[in-house]
Amino acid sequence: MRKKVVILATGGTIAGVGATAKTAGYRPGSLTADTLLQGIPEVAEVAEIEAVQVCNINSDDITDAIWLDLAQTINAMAQDEDVAGFVITHGTDTLEETAYFLNLTVKASKPVVLTGSMRPSTSISADGPMNLYQAVCVASSDAAAGKGVLVVFSDRIYSARSVTKTSTYHVTAIAAGEMGAIGVVRDGKVYMYETPGKRHTADTEFDISGLKALPKVSILYFAVDADPELLRFAASRSSGIVIAGAGAGEFSESYKQVITELSVPVVVSSRIDDGIIIPDNLLCENTVAADNLSPQKAAILLRLALTRTADLDQIREMFTIY
Ligand code: ASP
């Protein structure tokens, strides 16, 4: 018997339509999930599909309200015994952020798989249909259960925590740096090799069931001559700050001076793609090391941490667990 997979469609390039077969100059979030699926009859051989159009937007317009809606919808639908897993179609720009948010807030061990595409549906050799087909294969696979939220892209399976966008245009743009893929898909068959080591889904302490919004966190990117007054401005508008520091989380003396005076939690990440920030790297005592989370993922964990506490030691602990 075919398993049932719920597709939650949010838009992005996978649902993008252009006037020509070019890869640029198209409108993301133009096709509905049902239209996308009509072009891939093979999906019906793998699973029975229920398609839900959550929104149909460019993923740069994703908001915390949409994240909360997605997590709450998945948590409710996962109770249904007939549902084997979930696929979320999503723009690639912020796909990694939605994936990590869900990795920390979904309370189910059923597979939750995000996918998208780098080329719009109208381009030559569009990558969306294969990515969606493979995502449905993973979402209906027993091997994907209990692995946290996953991302399927160009034949590879990634964990939500380590996946990131690495190119503005290549079809293999979604990757995971030095952490790598945890599995692959080939002709519809799922091959899983690794298990994510950090705590996720039902094992996290984050409960978003009654939430309508997340605390605001600002990300500041350090570079030569970066204006430290922007830190004070960000602190006046946010409940926390993430710094994309240079190297292993470093910044100037003038930045350091202002940071020591801030009263909101400050998490230090890096503008470097790979690598870990350890507490020994920290220049200011009142900061938290982001481990190897990118600034955009550190911001998600800080936003969720702030739903529970503003205590720096407790936040530090969360940055070692998740
Ligand atoms: N701007 C698009 C989006 O993130 C890019 C993509 O989907 O590849 O929605």
Side-chain angles (χ1 to χ4, degrees):
M1 216 179 80
R2 285 178 317 158
K3 291 183 179 174
K4 182 169 168 182
V5 168
V6 176
I7 295 184
L8 300 163
T10 69
T13 296
I14 191 168
V17 170
T20 70
K22 288 184 177 173
T23 57
Y26 62 93
R27 205 167 70 89
S30 301
L31 297 181
T32 63
D34 289 330
T35 314
L36 267 179
L37 286 163
Q38 278 164 21
I40 332 166
E42 294 79 4
V43 165
E45 293 164 18
V46 178
E48 180 197 338
I49 301 292
E50 178 179 341
V52 179
Q53 194 74 45
V54 175
C55 54
N56 213 355
I57 57 177
N58 186 359
S59 76
D60 304 284
D61 292 318
I62 292 282
T63 61
D64 57 349
I66 294 173
W67 280 351
L68 291 164
D69 181 25
L70 274 173
Q72 287 158 2
T73 301
I74 292 169
N75 288 343
M77 293 184 93
Q79 306 289 325
D80 182 346
E81 277 179 14
D82 293 343
V83 173
F86 299 85
V87 168
I88 300 164
T89 55
H90 200 288
T92 59
D93 289 351
T94 64
L95 183 143
E96 67 204 65
E97 291 173 61
T98 299
Y100 188 51
F101 172 76
L102 294 174
N103 195 51
L104 297 174
T105 54
V106 161
K107 299 290 176 205
S109 60
K110 294 179 179 179
V112 175
V113 181
L114 283 88
T115 196
S117 78
M118 288 301 291
R119 296 176 182 151
S121 66
T122 41
S123 91
I124 298 170
S125 197
D127 52 330
M130 182 59 107
N131 284 345
L132 181 51
Y133 172 74
Q134 293 185 334
V136 171
C137 294
V138 175
S140 55
S141 146
D142 292 338
K147 300 277 193 306
V149 172
L150 302 171
V151 171
V152 169
F153 218 91
S154 296
D155 309 331
R156 296 195 173 104
I157 306 167
Y158 301 97
S159 106
R161 190 180 182 282
S162 25
V163 76
T164 192
K165 186 170 183 177
T166 61
S167 163
T168 57
Y169 69 104
H170 286 306
V171 280
T172 53
I174 299 293
E178 63 186 359
M179 296 300 138
I182 64 168
V184 295
V185 196
R186 189 88 206 270
D187 286 338
K189 199 155 181 259
V190 176
Y191 301 83
M192 274 291 196
Y193 296 102
E194 314 288 345
T195 299
K198 293 284 189 177
R199 213 178 285 175
H200 57 73
T201 56
D203 293 332
T204 79
E205 63 206 86
F206 306 115
D207 176 11
I208 47 77
S209 51
L211 287 185
K212 299 228 174 324
L214 293 174
K216 278 197 181 19
V217 163
S218 298
I219 299 174
L220 290 190
Y221 195 104
F222 176 76
V224 169
D225 282 338
D227 181 354
E229 287 309 310
L230 294 180
L231 289 161
R232 270 195 248 277
F233 180 69
S236 73
R237 299 176 56 85
S238 329
S239 309
I241 292 177
V242 173
I243 296 174
E250 305 211 21
F251 34 74
S252 63
E253 285 299 322
S254 59
Y255 239 55
K256 190 173 159 183
Q257 181 58 45
V258 173
I259 287 169
T260 53
E261 292 165 15
L262 296 179
S263 54
V264 298
V266 177
V267 174
V268 179
S269 174
S270 176
R271 60 186 203 178
I272 308 285
D273 286 342
D274 276 330
I276 178 166
I277 314 280
I278 56 174
D280 286 350
N281 289 133
L282 296 176
L283 302 178
C284 305
E285 272 181 18
N286 65 333
T287 57
V288 176
D291 195 280
N292 68 347
L293 290 175
S294 63
Q296 59 272 30
K297 286 194 180 157
I300 290 164
L301 179 52
L302 181 55
R303 294 180 82 176
L304 285 168
L306 288 166
T307 63
R308 299 191 62 81
T309 182
D311 179 79
L312 276 191
D313 282 333
Q314 286 183 41
I315 294 174
R316 284 188 182 110
E317 179 69 7
M318 291 178 195
F319 272 83
T320 65
I321 296 174
Y322 303 110

